Amino acid sequence: MPLREAEELIGWLRQSRHVPTLAAHRAWDEPAHLSPARHPALTQVMRELRAVGIRERFTFLWAHDGSGVETWEPDVIHIDRSLRRTTRAPSAVRALADGVMGLTIADVARHEIGHALQFARPWVTRGARFRRLFGDTRKAYRVGNPVDEIARRLRQNDALRNPRYRRMVSVYAATHPYEKFAETFRVALEHRCDAGRLRDWCARNRKHALVTEQLAFVCAWIARLASDPNRR
């Protein structure tokens, strides 16, 4: 991957994920505190959830300090308001981001919903197959600033050409088993767990067979949730 393309992507990730100043918030004509998030991209993601049989409801809030979901309140998802800038990102940057870390509001919402569903059902992480595919979530969580994590791997590890990263769905998936699961959920949901579309995605991105198995695991788990939504 040419260095110029990597640096352009890192630039867009920084623009859409830093903590804006109060002046920047005023420029957006938005208050600098949490407020209900409404956006066509969020509507789209909820339609994708319904399409795969998940009826769970979520509250989305615009945040000024990053996106995320808390383990004790998994039905509330914070979306960094700066992500709205990504609508201006060039198509080449958005395509490149798919195998690095979700760039857009929809990508981030899918990722955070993956966390939210898993936090509400921690049993999914306890089986031997989960640990073989994603790792042990008991591992200490030492993930720093997400963009710094990505920049280091792109610049120092040449991540998109390094064979190691073909064994996971994205570069950010390498940071921790929780993130590997959420990133795999992101891709699975975007393609609505369609086996043909996911197979094509893996081929297009030259992914190892392990990624196909990770995606199949997530899709089977989604199917279980759809058939038994009350299981915790």
Side-chain angles (χ1 to χ4, degrees):
M1 180 183 61
L3 181 60
R4 181 184 59 80
E5 294 179 11
E7 292 301 327
E8 186 176 13
L9 173 57
I10 292 166
W12 275 100
L13 289 171
R14 290 204 188 283
Q15 286 185 53
S16 59
R17 281 163 174 80
H18 73 294
V19 179
T21 62
L22 181 59
H25 280 297
R26 287 171 177 162
W28 281 101
D29 195 27
E30 290 278 352
H33 59 263
L34 295 174
S35 58
R38 298 180 180 86
H39 194 278
L42 299 175
T43 302
Q44 170 192 334
V45 170
M46 292 308 295
R47 285 177 182 151
E48 292 168 356
L49 273 182
R50 302 297 177 258
V52 297
I54 302 296
R55 304 296 173 190
E56 206 143 335
R57 294 181 179 275
F58 295 97
T59 297
F60 294 99
L61 299 175
W62 291 126
H64 66 276
D65 57 352
S67 302
V69 59
E70 306 293 354
T71 56
W72 60 85
E73 197 176 31
D75 58 339
V76 177
I77 295 175
H78 296 181
I79 301 292
D80 192 323
R81 65 180 68 246
S82 298
L83 286 165
R84 292 177 295 181
R85 298 170 182 164
T86 62
T87 58
R88 303 195 297 267
S91 58
V93 169
R94 297 172 72 169
L96 184 61
D98 193 32
V100 176
M101 180 171 71
L103 177 68
T104 67
I105 289 174
D107 290 332
V108 172
R110 294 180 189 110
H111 175 103
E112 299 302 342
I113 288 170
H115 280 312
L117 292 172
Q118 183 270 307
F119 289 160
R121 300 163 178 86
W123 52 265
V124 69
T125 69
R126 295 172 186 159
R129 188 167 178 233
F130 180 98
R131 290 175 183 169
R132 179 175 66 82
L133 293 173
F134 300 98
D136 191 339
T137 57
R138 293 173 296 182
K139 174 184 175 183
Y141 190 89
R142 296 192 177 95
V143 181
N145 177 293
V147 182
D148 290 342
E149 296 279 358
I150 292 299
R152 178 169 59 84
R153 286 171 170 82
L154 291 179
R155 290 167 176 163
Q156 298 178 17
N157 300 350
D158 196 11
L160 291 185
R161 289 191 294 196
N162 187 329
R164 175 196 171 199
Y165 292 91
R166 294 181 187 172
R167 299 176 64 87
M168 53 200 75
V169 77
S170 72
V171 176
Y172 191 56
T175 59
H176 191 273
Y178 278 136
E179 303 304 342
K180 187 179 293 184
F181 182 81
E183 280 289 274
T184 306
F185 184 95
R186 168 178 68 83
V187 173
L189 182 59
E190 180 180 6
H191 297 282
R192 303 193 181 197
C193 281
D194 182 283
R197 289 173 59 182
L198 291 173
R199 186 167 52 249
D200 290 345
W201 185 91
C202 287
R204 187 168 62 251
N205 289 280
R206 297 186 299 162
K207 294 299 181 181
H208 188 276
L210 182 63
V211 174
T212 302
E213 192 176 354
Q214 291 165 350
L215 288 163
F217 179 97
V218 168
C219 289
W221 182 69
I222 287 172
R224 288 180 70 184
L225 297 188
S227 63
D228 187 9
N230 295 319
R231 180 170 182 181
R232 293 281 169 171

